[in-house]
Amino acid sequence: MSTPVISATGLFTPEDSISNAELVESFNRHVERFNADNAEAIAAGTVQPLAPSSVEFIEKASGIKARHVLSKAPILDPEIMCPRLPERPDEELSVLAEIAVKAAQQALAAAGRDAKDVDAVLCACSNLQRAYPAIAIEVQAALGIEGFAFDMNVACSSATFGIQTAADFIRAGHAKSVLVVNPEVCSGHLNWRDRDSHFIFGDVATAILVEAQEIAPETHWEILGTRLLTQFSNNIRNNFGFLNRAAPDGIGQPDKLFRQEGRKVFREVVPMVSTLISGHMADLGLSADDLRRLWLHQANAGMNRLIAERVLGHEASAEESPTVLDTYANTSSAGSIIAFHLNSADLKAGEIGLICSFGAGYSAGSVFLRKAG
Ligand code: CO8
């Protein structure tokens, strides 16, 4: 049986970024206009006035300072407040496939892997832009990969679920090289008019090349173990689907966009994830002292602080549990992979770290890695 490893990762970051100050300025213009337009109804008590957002709240509550997006100007335009990505003809690469391909090309180049030697592509992300054909198959075709491809969605945990799926293909002998891509256009399913959540998400794409150890480049990450967990909850939900339709700009049907009970998520997910990690770590015969780094899902700085403290038994330093929330915000499934991609080169051979994701479902996945090479 082959041992699965991560051979390389890739990251595509959109050029444009929105700072909290820019975001709040635009949101508050929307609030002022709404309150002015509805002044009479607000005075009569039939309409609730909107409350302004604040940079201080966002940074304190989440640790987020900015987010990259694919379509900046329309998001900041109080008349629009959502991305405007023109629909493309069927013959053109779709936007989700395009950003996935960019991240994938980086991962393939880093591993020195020719696309024709990849056996499968998994597109593991929160929101797919269409029903079919699978985005993964479009990515496969664009890269010239033979074999098979499919899409999978476990919200923010999609990447770790994708890694386990790829690792299982390798263990079972169905594939030797599997490309997992996580394109996240979160801006398209975020309600930019919702004060409670308008600051949370950003756009990005990551790629992970999972391979059999015998074909991997000399420097790679041995997958020591993977574990997945799900538990149904309505506290993070998006009802958009093929049996219903959002208005063209998503306005008026907020349940067809991302919504959450953030406080409940925080309270319920922290113990679920720390218990998952600690149990998995013990079953692998590892202790907290063996862990050099945690690459946690990037949803909220406070949540990561608590989870890391429960797992390590002490407050984690920025080096032990790096954050990318400040510049990328929450990028759903891609967050822990960005943290890994940007903060793993300094580990020495033999050192151990953990990729862990968690999110809607609820869902959580842990992947323990040991550097080789
Ligand atoms: N500006 C100023 N004040 C605000 C704002 C704002 N923008 N928003 C809320 N407030 C106020 C509230 O009105 C409230 O006031 P009061 O105390 O008077 O009632 C006060 O601030 C506190 O509000 P909250 O209780 O909501 O604030 P929290 O401290 O709980 O922080 C968070 C809110 C940041 C959302 C926090 O609860 C959190 O991060 N929770 C965890 C969230 C999480 O991890 N979610 C997982 C989502 S990822 C996922 O799986 C989804 C995948 C799909 C991707 C979707 C892409 C779009």
Side-chain angles (χ1 to χ4, degrees):
M1 190 173 73
S2 293
T3 299
V5 308
I6 292 180
S7 288
T9 51
L11 168 64
F12 165 74
T13 303
E15 260 173 47
D16 281 339
S17 166
I18 298 178
S19 69
N20 285 344
E22 289 174 301
L23 185 72
V24 166
E25 199 267 332
S26 132
F27 184 88
N28 289 349
R29 273 198 288 147
H30 154 68
V31 168
E32 278 165 28
R33 285 159 66 140
F34 178 92
N35 290 347
D37 290 350
N38 293 282
E40 270 181 34
I42 290 170
T46 51
V47 167
Q48 282 297 313
L50 296 182
S53 183
S54 90
V55 170
E56 297 69 35
F57 170 82
I58 296 172
E59 294 194 10
K60 189 161 172 289
S62 68
I64 294 166
K65 294 183 179 158
R67 67 287 296 142
H68 288 274
V69 291
L70 289 172
S71 170
K72 176 171 174 172
I75 290 172
L76 290 180
D77 182 340
E79 298 265 10
I80 305 174
M81 294 181 85
C82 68
R84 286 270 196 253
L85 296 167
E87 276 201 46
R88 298 179 179 186
D90 291 354
E91 298 68 35
E92 229 179 88
L93 199 63
S94 61
V95 68
L96 215 61
E98 180 183 298
I99 64 173
V101 163
K102 287 180 179 167
Q105 282 167 334
Q106 255 193 41
L108 293 170
R113 178 75 54 234
D114 194 321
K116 70 176 171 28
D117 297 322
V118 175
D119 303 313
V121 180
L122 309 185
C123 178
C125 67
S126 264
N127 282 53
L128 295 156
Q129 75 177 87
R130 61 165 182 259
Y132 42 79
I135 297 291
I137 303 178
E138 196 181 359
V139 171
Q140 177 193 8
L143 291 170
I145 292 172
E146 290 168 13
F148 65 94
F150 61 89
D151 293 344
M152 52 186 286
N153 173 4
V154 205
C156 291
S157 299
S158 299
T160 51
F161 279 60
I163 291 171
Q164 173 160 321
T165 307
D168 285 345
F169 283 151
I170 286 157
R171 291 185 191 108
H174 296 309
K176 286 221 174 290
S177 177
V178 183
L179 182 64
V180 182
V181 290
N182 325 105
E184 293 289 11
V185 185
C186 297
S187 59
H189 40 110
L190 177 58
N191 185 352
W192 295 90
R193 287 181 164 79
D194 174 34
R195 175 174 176 258
D196 289 351
S197 64
H198 76 115
F199 54 89
I200 293 182
F201 291 99
D203 300 335
V204 80
T206 49
I208 313 146
L209 191 62
V210 182
E211 301 195 306
Q213 193 163 32
E214 61 268 22
I215 68 158
E218 195 183 330
T219 300
H220 59 257
W221 297 84
E222 188 184 339
I223 297 176
L224 299 176
T226 55
R227 183 166 291 180
L228 311 179
L229 176 68
T230 51
Q231 183 185 305
F232 187 67
S233 167
N234 279 323
N235 288 333
I236 314 169
R237 190 160 173 133
N238 177 344
N239 280 333
F240 180 78
F242 305 111
L243 298 181
N244 57 43
R245 255 160 244 237
D249 53 7
I251 302 163
Q253 298 193 51
D255 78 311
K256 308 299 184 294
L257 292 165
F258 168 86
R259 66 197 156 99
Q260 71 168 351
E261 297 284 342
R263 280 271 159 112
K264 287 189 190 158
V265 174
F266 199 114
R267 251 197 335 266
E268 293 169 7
V269 169
V270 167
M272 173 178 155
V273 172
S274 22
T275 306
L276 168 80
I277 298 173
S278 301
H280 191 191
M281 184 162 73
D283 290 349
L284 290 171
L286 299 171
S287 74
D289 292 342
D290 297 318
L291 280 186
R292 172 75 201 286
R293 192 155 295 161
L294 307 176
W295 300 283
L296 297 179
H297 174 48
Q298 304 284 314
N300 176 290
M303 229 168 157
N304 283 7
R305 219 173 6 253
L306 276 177
I307 292 171
E309 190 169 342
R310 287 191 185 193
V311 170
L312 297 177
H314 62 262
E315 195 176 325
S317 64
E319 211 228 325
E320 286 174 309
S321 176
T323 186
V324 301
L325 274 168
D326 49 351
T327 48
Y328 282 90
N330 183 342
T331 50
S332 195
S333 67
S336 56
I337 307 305
I338 305 174
F340 172 76
H341 181 84
L342 297 177
N343 299 284
S344 54
D346 59 317
L347 264 66
K348 297 187 195 65
E351 288 189 318
I352 292 173
L354 163 77
I355 294 178
C356 179
S357 65
F358 40 90
Y362 297 133
S363 56
S366 56
V367 178
F368 282 88
L369 299 172
R370 180 167 53 214
K371 191 164 187 181

